[in-house]
Structures are given as C-alpha cells and as structure tokens.
Amino acid sequence: MRAFFFCLLLLLSLSLQAQFTYTLDQSIPVEGKQATLSMPWVGGINAAQYNTMDLDNDGVEDLVLFERMAGKLFTFLNKNNQYQYAPEYESFFPSDVTNWLLLRDFNCDGKKDVFTGNVLGIKVYTNVTQPGQTLTWKQYIFYDSGGKSEVLLTKGYSTTKINLQLQFDDLPNIADVDGDGDLDIFNVRFANNGTIEFHQNYGMERYSRCDSLDFERITNTWGNFTECSCGVYAYNGTACRTTNGKVEHAGGKSLLMLDVTHDGQLDILLSEATCSQLFMLPNQGTLLSPVIESEVNFPSSNAANFLYPAAYYEDVDFDGLKDLISTPNIFTKTILSTNLSNSNWYYKNTGTNAEPTFSFVQSNFLQDQMIDVGDDAVPAFADFDVDGDFDLFISQNTSANIAATVQVYENIGSSTSPHFKLIEDNYLGLASEFLYNMKIQFADFNSDGKPDLVFTATSLQDGYTRLYYIPNQSSSGLKFSALDLQVVNVDPTTISELAYTENITVLDVDLDGKMDLLQGKSNGALYYWKNSGSGNSPNFSLQTDAYLTIGSSVLRQNLACAVGDLDSDGASDLVIGDQTGEIRIVSNFRQASNADNAVGNLVWNTLSQTYEAKNLGGRIWPAVVNIFGTTRPAIIAGNVTGGLVVLRHDNTNELSGPPVIGIYPNPVVVGNTINVSSDRSVYLQIFSSTGQIIRDNIVIRPNEVNIVDEVTQLARGLYILRFVWNNQSVSKKIVVY
C-alpha cells in the first residue's frame, strides 16, 4: 500500500511538472531611448564581478559574471566578437559559489578553474571538462599533516598550515605575480587592521609543476602600510590614529595588483566597503621589498563614484588587451550606490597587457543593452493605448534620497508578436510624489470593472511604506491622475503597516467580488487579509498569517506573488517568488490546503535536457500575462538587479479563432454576480434582448476569473453579453431570474 501511494504522489508530481514548463525567452525586441537593445531580457546587472573563460570549447574566451547582489551567475558567449546571453551554462558551475568568483587557470592546462569564497576561506574547483563535454568541475582537496581540508591552506609562521581566511566581503588578488608559472595570492589581513598579506605559491619551486597549490605566507604587512579608513593610510609601519582608544579600521576590501606606473613592479588598486573611491598605491620598491608611501584616486579622471568600487582586469572588447572594469562590490543597495543602472564602468586598455593605459568609455557597460532600471524592477501589464495588446510598465526602487518613477514601454507589435518601445520614463509624474521603493500592479481595486493602478512605496518624507492606489477614470483603457492618489490602510491597528521589503498582491482570494490582499512578509510568511468593505472603502482583517501554511522561515524572505491560469484548466494558479530568485507555482491555489506540492523545476535547460529551478536575479517580482497570444500565459519576472526575464510556456499553441469564454452561473439569480473567464484579453458589453446597450467596455483579464458585478443591477430577463477583441466580437446569452 505504501508503494502504491508513493507511485501516486510521484505521478501527481510529474503531472504538475508537465503543466508548468518554461523556456527563458529572448526573442521579444525592445527599443530603448536611442536604439534597439541587443539583449533586453538578461535581467539587469548591478554588482557584477568580471571573468573570462571558454564556455563552449570553441577556442575563444567568453564572459562569466558573478552578480553579488543576486548571488547569481551570468554567462555570455562570444559570437563573432559580440556577447550573446547564454543562461544554459550558468547551472553547470559549482552550486556553492559564494561571495565572490575568480576564474584562474592554476594547473596550466588552458582551462580556467574556480576560486570562490567560503565561510572558512577559499574553495577551489578544478575544471576537468573533456572535449565534447559541458562544464565539469572537481573540488580541490588540500592536505597537510593534520589531514585534509576543503578550503585553501597556507603555511603561517610555524610548520602548521592554516586556512587562508577572508572577510565575507573581501575580494583577493589571485595571479602569478612572480612570473614562475603558478598562482600567488594577495589579500587583506583577516579580522585585523588593513594590512596586506602576500602568500607565495611554491608549487613550481618544489615540484616543478604549477598544479600544486602549496602556499606560504611571506608577510602580513606587504608594503609596510595600513589602510585605516576611507582614504586614510598609515605608512612606514606607523599605526592608524585611534578613536576612543580603538584603532580605526574598515570593513571589506578588494584588491587588484597591477603595474599601473609602468616600472615593472606591482602597484595596488584598493577599495573598501565604506568608500566610494578606488585608490592606487604605487610601489616604489620590488615584489619582495615593496615600498608604499602614497595613494591617489584612480583613475585620475572619470573615476567611478559609487560605493565600494572593485576593479577587474579582463579583455572585454575582443582586442586581446585586458581592460579595466569597475563595479560596486556590494551585497545590498545603499544611499551611496544610488544609480545602479550605471554601475559597470568600462575603461579600455590603449596600452599593452604589461603596461596598460586606461581610457574611460562608458559607465553602463552591458547594462545599456538590457532593460535595466537600476534595482528592484517590478513589471506590470495593461493595454495602455487600447489597441488590443499588452503594454509594459516597470517601477523601480532608487533610494532614500531620489524618488522612484514608472517607465512605460508601448507594445508596437501585436497581441501575438510583442515589440516594446520606451515612450515614457516618468509615468503620471509620479517622481513628484516623493516616493521610492515602488512596486506596481494593475487590479480592479474598487470593484468597478476597470483596472486601477495599485502600488506599495516608501515615503521620502516620513520613511513609512504604505499601500496606494489610483482609480481608473476611463470607461475603456487607462486614465489616471496623480491627484487621485489614495492611501490604503491595510492594518487598522497600526500606522506604518508595511515593512520596507514586504510585498502586496491585490486579488479576490475568496471570489466574493471584493479585492483581498496577500502580503509577503519579510520573514517569509504569507498573510491573507480579507476585504469586508466595499468599493472605495475597503476594510481588511487578517485571516491567517500562514496562507497555504506558508509561515515564517529562515529559508525564504520577502515573498512576492502573482495569479493566473497558467495551465488553461479554468482555475487560477499562484506564482511565488522570493529572495532566492527562484519561482514556485501552486496549482489551483484556491483549492489547495498548503504549498507543499508547489512546482519549482520549471525552466528547460537545453544543455542538460532537464527542467531546473533557476535563480532569475535574486529577489523577484513575478507577473502573469499572455503577451504571445497563446493558450497558456507567460511569466515575466522583475528582479533586484533591475531587469526583467521572460518565461514562455514551452507546451502551448497560438490562439486561433474566437476566444474561449466561460460564464458561471448561467442562469443567474437576480442581484448576484457572474464569473467570466477568457483565454485572452477582451472587452465586455452588456445588451438587453432588444439591442439596447446597458454597460460598455468592461475589461475581462485573460486566464483568470473575472467577477462581473454589473449584472447585479439587471432585472429579470434575457441579456446578450458581447465580447470584443481586435475589432472582432462574439456574443453569449445569459438569463437573469
């Protein structure tokens, strides 16, 4: 019997999986302010760490980014000296890449290996990919007299080897600095003042092989200086000034060792976590006898002006010369890192690799080819121009000193072949409302049959995060005015009812014709607030603090939800995203007792030929919309890195013929509402049996249950419901008794 139930559960799981299967779609063209974007749906980047390696074994270097704010890898193929986003390679890297990623060939086999962070230091993975294979790695194990270690070991000032420990937000320098063919390491001393350690690799000296990571710490005061705080250094072995008896020292630090002064010796490019400048410290000595006595801002002109600017030295323009890229080495948004849509600064190398000379090119490298609004991009869809297709709206975060805006991308394509063009970057002039942390959606909040603009946002004036809405004044399409902006009190027992990172989804949970709320809490719980009010006077009461048994958990944070009929079975499904960047779907959620069977392996990988759970960009905000005119809608997800990704259902057909309309109940008791569903966006008109129009332009949203309360005003009799789409129409009869 137990085996029978196991097989039944397995079949149920496979059945659910088959309903929710998607591909990452890159096909929708997008026009920005000045030109068509070459890769709009990558998802945006903020704090990217730059590496190159050959991903597809074609003999040319491709691009690998580790996005620190999202904990996500981005992989790009070099196709004819143009970058092409190739997300299928991302899942082939070690799953525990943490804090930072440096790709270096430590064993001289021509293949880049992985160096990454760990709570105990540095982990190393050897690239063991064979010809014809996809990327394959083997963890490098270190040995000493005390046994084996999963993290990199170095010999200290005794015979015992110890972990080479880093702070979690440090970035070391790993390169062959003494020219002997093996890799050496520079890092800032752990949990102490800001001095630099030099760990020399003796693999070549002792074994005549570069594949032995045999390190010894040569010094923990390389250059005999200390970085005390932002822009403050103590030279010649002197101590930092003290404050209240304590030595000043800052948090995480990033290093790049490079001969910037063209004297054949390594100089230092250094930044730290509290500073918005990158400093160059010239070495007037040698590798083993360094002399560091000064610092200057670097570069001397067009220097990056964001928080914690780390530097990377890679060829990103395909000319064989390594360029300089500077990006913020941060984990979270801060006031000093406000403009994250221009946070990848590219300096072209016009010299040589031995003696580089850097010339500033742009502050938004790669970002200028993506939809990238900075951070916390939240998508919403509505028919902006009443032409029968969905247009795209994107809200953004910015920061606590710059107001957020909403961008509008008009669909200049069609309802089956979308093509978006940026036409407005401050919709309704919302920037003048002094709000940030804005997250928008369209929902019939006041139950009048028209989509309203609903959003949460944080006030620049008092710091409170609230729920707002603007009623739609148009009988068809959208007509909003910021003058109609209203504040909604979610919890009558508090003034500031929402935390900064929480999310609200407006929907009719219990199908009573009133818009309820699902609130994704910071602690990972999902609250359900029932609306017992009416129209413009909602009254919310908390029904449960663990809807679908989704309670608080250390494994998830900041849930964001969307609802739609994803599998065309006539029932609404619940899409859930969180800080992991992964999406889960609860099938027919109104009939579900819990979310235990939520499907997470949704995205098809063309290399592994499997469906996988995929990080879509750290914290995500999903939207369900039928932009391809197919039997099953797509999922568009915004993310913390400021961009969007498109999940297109891979088991669907284009819609043809008239829309599939569902009406229930029919006949309907006088004074009651009806439920209407459609497989595409349509407008509803209500006529009497004699042809007199009673109501016009009621919006019917696709792939969900629409409650039409206009019929509550109808007397007993026969009525005609006319559904209009793309200048076509179809009619249905209903009886009111």
Side-chain angles (χ1 to χ4, degrees), residues 273-323:
T274 66
C275 202
S276 58
Q277 294 146 329
L278 179 65
F279 293 95
M280 191 273 286
L281 291 83
N283 178 12
Q284 299 174 3
T286 64
L287 174 67
L288 296 180
S289 298
V291 177
I292 307 292
E293 296 180 330
S294 63
E295 85 284 341
V296 295
N297 286 356
F298 187 86
S300 57
S301 61
N302 294 307
N305 59 358
F306 44 75
L307 188 66
Y308 200 2
Y312 306 91
Y313 192 46
E314 298 283 359
D315 177 17
V316 296
D317 58 5
F318 318 110
D319 64 356
L321 299 176
K322 291 186 176 183
D323 309 294

Side-chain angles (χ1 to χ4, degrees), residues 550-628:
I550 302 175
S552 61
S553 171
V554 297
L555 300 179
R556 59 175 177 265
Q557 302 165 19
N558 315 123
L559 298 188
C561 300
V563 172
D565 183 4
L566 297 170
D567 51 5
S568 297
D569 66 351
S572 295
D573 309 301
L574 182 67
V575 183
I576 304 173
D578 58 28
Q579 91 289 349
T580 66
E582 297 179 1
I583 277 178
R584 296 180 299 138
I585 298 175
V586 180
S587 178
N588 192 4
F589 78 98
R590 288 188 176 94
Q591 299 300 316
S593 58
N594 56 61
D596 294 347
N597 291 322
V599 181
N601 294 325
L602 305 169
V603 183
W604 180 250
N605 188 310
T606 57
L607 289 179
S608 65
Q609 296 287 293
T610 58
Y611 288 98
E612 60 188 22
K614 191 165 185 63
N615 183 349
L616 302 177
R619 292 194 308 275
I620 54 172
W621 293 268
V624 176
V625 58
N626 197 344
I627 54 174
F628 296 109

Side-chain angles (χ1 to χ4, degrees), residues 525-546:
L526 188 61
Y527 282 19
Y528 164 35
W529 297 84
K530 177 178 171 57
N531 182 5
S532 59
S534 62
N536 290 318
S537 301
N539 182 25
F540 298 106
S541 58
L542 183 63
Q543 299 300 294
T544 175
D545 59 2

